Amino acid sequence: MSEPSPTADWRTDPAWPDVDVVMPILNEAAHLGAALAAVREQAYPGRLRVIMAIGPSTDGTEAVAADLAALDTDLVVVDNPTGKTPAALNFAIRAGTAPVVVRVDGHSQLSGGYIEQAVTTLRRTGAANVGGMQVPVGTTPFEHAVAAATSSWMGTGGASYRTGGVEAEVDTVYLGVFDRAAIEAVGLFDERLIRNQDYELNIRLRKAGGTVVFDPELWVGYTPRGSWKALAKQYFEYGQWKAEVLRLHPDSLKLRQMVPPAAVAVVIASLLAGMRRPSALLPAAGYAAAVTSAAVRASRHPAISLRVAGVLAALQFSWAYGFARGAVQPHTDAP
C-alpha cells in the first residue's frame, strides 16, 4: 500500500481513502479463513488491507495466517507476543498507514456495506470514531436468553450500541471505525487495560476535542456467551475493569454505571434484614418484580422469560461484584 500524502485530506478527497482493518487474533485456526473472507465480502470501493496481530496460539493459528498471507498481498500478519487484545490492536495499527482504521474481531459479522457506510459517516460528521449496533446472534436457548437480556435497557443501562436509536454523538460505540490521526494523537489503546480499553480510548478522544458517533445504519453480529459460568466471568471482568477506567478518568462516571452496584447492595441488605424483619424484604421483592417485568418485555418468546430474568440478575450481580472488587483491589496490570 502506498504511503498517504501528509497534506492530503481524505475527508474531502473524492477518492475513497485507504482502509486498514485491524484484527486481534488468538487460537482461531479453524475460523481464520472465514473471518478473512467475511471482511473481503465488504467489497469496499477503495483499497483495503487486513492486518492480523496473532497472539501465542496452541492450535496452529500462526501457520494458517502465514498460508493466507502468502496468497493475499493485502493481508499482513504481525506478532503479538503478549497475547492481549489492546496490544494486538496497537501492533496492527502501527503496522499500517491508511488514514482510516477499522477494528474487527475474529468472529465479528459485519453488516453489508459496513466499512463504506462508516467511512461516509466519518467524512460527513467529522468524527474521530464511528460505530453502530452490537447485535447478539444466539443459536442455543441460553444464548437467545443472553441476547434478549443484553438488548434490554435493564441489561445494558440504555447504551445506544446495545439498544439502538438515532444517529448521535455518544460516549462509546462497539468496535469502531477510526480516524488514524485522531487515535495516534491520543496514544492508541491503553495496553494495561484487559477490558474496557475501547471505552477508555473513546474518553481520551472526546477529551482531545474529537467526537464519537453512533450510526444506526451500522451493525455487527456476535455470539453471546454460552454458559452461566462464562457469562458471569465476562461481566465480572467488565465490572472490574470499569473500576480501573474510573480510576483513570473519574469524571467519566455515568449514572447508569452505578445502577447495578447500587441495586445489588440494596437487594443484599434487604435479604439480610429480612431474616429478622419480613417487611424488610420489600426492596428485594421489588427488584425481583422489576427484573421479571424487564425479562417479559425483552423476551420474544414468553417461554424463555424466566431464563432471561435469571440472566439479567446474573449479569448485574457479576458486574457489581467485579466493580466492587476492582474498586478496593486494583488489578496488577492496571495503573
Side-chain angles (χ1 to χ4, degrees):
M1 180 180 291
S2 61
E3 293 284 341
S5 167
T7 59
D9 186 350
W10 63 269
R11 293 183 186 270
T12 57
D13 190 325
W16 287 96
D18 291 348
V19 166
D20 286 334
V21 174
V22 297
M23 303 180 68
I25 302 294
L26 180 69
N27 289 323
E28 293 284 358
H31 307 285
L32 211 55
L36 178 61
V39 173
R40 294 294 182 218
E41 287 173 3
Q42 283 287 299
Y44 176 66
R47 183 80 178 274
L48 184 149
R49 179 167 60 173
V50 178
I51 306 175
M52 295 181 176
I54 312 294
S57 299
T58 59
D59 64 350
T61 294
E62 292 93 340
V64 173
D67 289 343
L68 291 171
L71 300 173
D72 189 334
T73 57
D74 276 330
L75 171 61
V76 176
V77 177
V78 297
D79 290 330
N80 169 29
T82 72
K84 297 177 181 179
T85 297
L89 291 167
N90 287 347
F91 280 127
I93 292 168
R94 293 187 181 111
T97 58
V100 177
V101 175
V102 180
R103 176 182 174 177
V104 176
D105 289 345
H107 291 277
S108 298
Q109 304 164 39
L110 303 180
S111 56
Y114 176 92
I115 296 175
E116 182 176 347
Q117 170 69 20
V119 169
T120 299
T121 303
L122 276 174
R123 279 175 154 167
R124 175 170 51 80
T125 63
N129 183 16
V130 167
M133 284 280 293
Q134 181 185 31
V135 179
V137 182
T139 57
T140 68
F142 184 79
E143 290 173 358
H144 285 306
V146 175
T150 55
S151 298
S152 72
W153 187 93
M154 191 166 190
T156 64
S160 297
Y161 73 88
R162 294 276 200 174
T163 60
V166 299
E167 182 178 301
E169 293 184 14
V170 294
D171 54 350
T172 195
V173 291
Y174 184 54
L175 299 182
V177 177
F178 302 91
D179 179 337
R180 173 184 288 275
I183 57 174
E184 287 183 339
V186 299
L188 305 183
F189 291 91
D190 189 328
E191 296 182 13
R192 298 169 296 181
L193 301 175
I194 304 305
R195 297 276 193 180
N196 283 104
Q197 70 276 156
D198 49 353
Y199 188 90
E200 193 276 336
L201 173 58
N202 286 321
I203 291 174
R204 285 184 283 123
L205 287 173
R206 291 185 286 109
K207 285 184 175 181
T211 57
V212 179
V213 171
F214 170 75
D215 182 349
E217 297 298 317
L218 304 173
W219 62 266
V220 181
Y222 79 102
T223 302
R225 295 297 191 270
S227 70
W228 292 102
K229 181 179 180 180
L231 180 71
K233 180 178 184 294
Q234 179 187 28
Y235 275 82
F236 172 84
E237 292 176 352
Y238 282 165
Q240 183 181 32
W241 289 99
K242 176 60 69 177
E244 302 292 356
V245 170
L246 289 177
R247 189 172 285 111
L248 280 173
H249 305 281
D251 56 339
S252 69
L253 181 64
K254 304 292 183 183
L255 177 61
R256 70 170 187 264
Q257 295 164 353
M258 297 311 299
V259 171
V264 169
V266 168
V267 169
I268 292 174
S270 173
L271 292 173
L272 292 174
M275 290 189 290
R276 293 185 177 182
R277 185 161 46 92
S279 61
L281 291 172
L282 285 175
Y287 175 81
V291 167
T292 301
S293 176
V296 170
R297 291 195 302 271
S299 304
R300 295 182 179 180
H301 304 289
I304 69 169
S305 294
L306 183 61
R307 186 180 287 116
V308 173
V311 168
L312 284 170
L315 63 86
Q316 288 202 345
F317 273 73
S318 299
W319 195 98
Y321 177 49
F323 183 82
R325 181 76 173 270
V328 301
Q329 184 178 343
H331 198 281
T332 55
D333 289 338

